[in-house]
Amino acid sequence: MANDREVLREVWDGRLPIKFYIAEEEKGTGVWLMENEPYYILVPRMTYLPLLPVKKHFESAIPVTDTDNQPTELWFSHGNTPLKWHLPIGVLYDLVGDGVLPWEVKLRITDFPAEKISRLGSSSDENVRSSFISNVKEAGYMKHRGAVMQHLLPDQHAQLWRGVHRDKFDDFWKINHRLMEHIDNAPYRCIPFRIYTGVHERYIQKFFKPMTDDEKLTTLGQLLKQFMPESVVELDQTEDPDIIRSYEVAEGFKIKIHGIETPLNTPIQWLSEHLSHADNFLYIIVLKTGVLGEEPLPS
């Protein structure tokens, strides 16, 4: 069970300053009712774009219906990259932000990129909640075959979600600590992780155990060596089974979790307990140096 409260709190309190503004591509289309000043806000890395009060801030400028008389659908982009609403904001930023703050996010209501992102629909909060709970259930099955999640009551599911929605650390962890427990003091069955190399690249999610058959803790470096071998270099080439392999990041790559360049010898079990996002998945960002997960500029 995750018991280092200071680390959990530090991760939870991670914040990003964001500048939301109407995209230049939208101006002159005659769709927006008026122009608004950019909206600056400091947001939790753990939250999701549709949960922010952005639409409320710009509501005087957003028409109720579009040119086809359908409900107007707001979507977000950074540069030329449409942003997926179901990914945590911190993950999106780590993929395309390049460390530049405030992070600039465009507001769009025209030319919806249906081939890149899914529609959120009118029940935005409920759709985000449904996606979140689905991930929590999947992660729980990977860790304990769902043995913990299936015993949570509906009001506990609701409290877990309210903790994320309202940024309430204590409310969230009153429930989530149960999902991080070790059943019979055993490590997780496997680690719920996803490796992202770009916003619109297919993520890597495989079966990976937190402990070897001879009961040695596996590390972030070992996970990456197995699933993205080009991103790490193995330093210890000995065949001695008692020697734990050590790794370093390969030249030309950046590897981050919650925006942190994480040591590759960190046990993956500890990372799962302490650095997973609220949906209980460990998001590992692997990017080539100088290459962001952003769409190329049109030619």
Side-chain angles (χ1 to χ4, degrees), residues 146-166:
V148 178
M149 192 69 185
Q150 67 183 357
H151 290 106
L152 293 186
L153 301 174
D155 64 334
Q156 292 174 313
H157 287 195
Q159 181 174 335
L160 197 68
W161 172 241
R162 283 197 306 271
V164 176
H165 198 328
R166 301 177 184 176

Side-chain angles (χ1 to χ4, degrees), residues 113-180:
E115 75 286 356
K116 294 290 186 181
I117 58 177
S118 59
R119 293 188 181 276
L120 183 59
S122 57
S123 303
S124 58
D125 282 15
E126 176 56 30
N127 288 338
V128 179
R129 186 202 70 83
S130 178
S131 173
F132 170 81
I133 293 296
S134 177
N135 274 356
V136 173
K137 288 180 178 180
E138 183 180 354
Y141 185 82
M142 295 173 74
K143 288 187 285 189
H144 333 96
R145 294 188 184 274
V148 178
M149 192 69 185
Q150 67 183 357
H151 290 106
L152 293 186
L153 301 174
D155 64 334
Q156 292 174 313
H157 287 195
Q159 181 174 335
L160 197 68
W161 172 241
R162 283 197 306 271
V164 176
H165 198 328
R166 301 177 184 176
D167 191 26
K168 299 294 185 182
F169 174 83
D170 290 329
D171 289 351
F172 175 80
W173 274 101
K174 281 178 183 176
I175 306 301
N176 198 59
H177 81 91
R178 295 179 57 185
L179 300 175
M180 292 294 178

Side-chain angles (χ1 to χ4, degrees), residues 7 12 20 22 66 95 100 104 109 167 182 185 190 234 240 247 283 286 296 299:
V7 174
W12 184 274
F20 289 97
I22 299 173
D66 60 21
L95 284 168
V100 177
E104 296 193 351
I109 58 176
D167 191 26
H182 297 200
N185 293 319
C190 69
E234 187 172 346
D240 186 342
Y247 302 86
Y283 290 86
V286 180
S299 55

Side-chain angles (χ1 to χ4, degrees), residues 33-154:
L33 301 180
M34 59 183 293
E35 288 192 25
N36 280 51
E37 292 296 315
Y39 177 43
Y40 292 86
I41 184 174
L42 190 66
V43 307
R45 288 179 59 95
M46 290 277 201
T47 196
Y48 300 84
L49 285 169
L51 302 184
L52 302 179
V54 177
K55 191 170 184 178
K56 183 177 181 180
H57 179 83
F58 286 92
E59 64 183 352
S60 60
I62 300 174
V64 176
T65 58
D66 60 21
T67 53
D68 296 322
N69 206 33
Q70 297 296 314
T72 300
E73 183 155 13
L74 183 68
W75 57 280
F76 304 92
S77 71
H78 172 76
N80 295 285
T81 305
L83 300 175
K84 295 184 175 182
W85 57 262
H86 64 276
L87 285 179
I89 285 176
V91 172
L92 292 170
Y93 174 75
D94 290 344
L95 284 168
V96 300
D98 198 28
V100 177
L101 296 172
W103 186 31
E104 296 193 351
V105 176
K106 298 178 182 180
L107 274 63
R108 303 291 307 272
I109 58 176
T110 63
D111 301 324
F112 186 87
E115 75 286 356
K116 294 290 186 181
I117 58 177
S118 59
R119 293 188 181 276
L120 183 59
S122 57
S123 303
S124 58
D125 282 15
E126 176 56 30
N127 288 338
V128 179
R129 186 202 70 83
S130 178
S131 173
F132 170 81
I133 293 296
S134 177
N135 274 356
V136 173
K137 288 180 178 180
E138 183 180 354
Y141 185 82
M142 295 173 74
K143 288 187 285 189
H144 333 96
R145 294 188 184 274
V148 178
M149 192 69 185
Q150 67 183 357
H151 290 106
L152 293 186
L153 301 174

Side-chain angles (χ1 to χ4, degrees), residues 9-25:
R9 184 85 224 197
E10 288 268 345
V11 171
W12 184 274
D13 286 343
R15 296 291 186 266
L16 279 174
I18 304 181
K19 171 189 174 183
F20 289 97
Y21 65 102
I22 299 173
E24 287 294 327
E25 299 94 316

Side-chain angles (χ1 to χ4, degrees), residues 222-275:
Q222 288 170 291
L223 183 149
L224 290 168
K225 182 65 176 178
Q226 183 169 340
F227 301 119
M228 282 205 69
E230 69 276 17
S231 69
V232 296
V233 175
E234 187 172 346
L235 299 179
D236 183 8
Q237 301 296 332
T238 179
E239 296 300 319
D240 186 342
D242 294 325
I243 299 296
I244 297 176
R245 300 290 190 270
S246 58
Y247 302 86
E248 67 178 10
V249 179
E251 185 177 355
F253 283 89
K254 293 188 296 185
I255 298 170
K256 293 185 177 182
I257 301 174
H258 280 288
I260 303 166
E261 295 186 9
T262 312
L264 298 186
N265 63 344
T266 308
I268 202 71
Q269 174 79 40
W270 188 93
L271 289 174
S272 182
E273 293 178 24
H274 295 84
L275 267 66

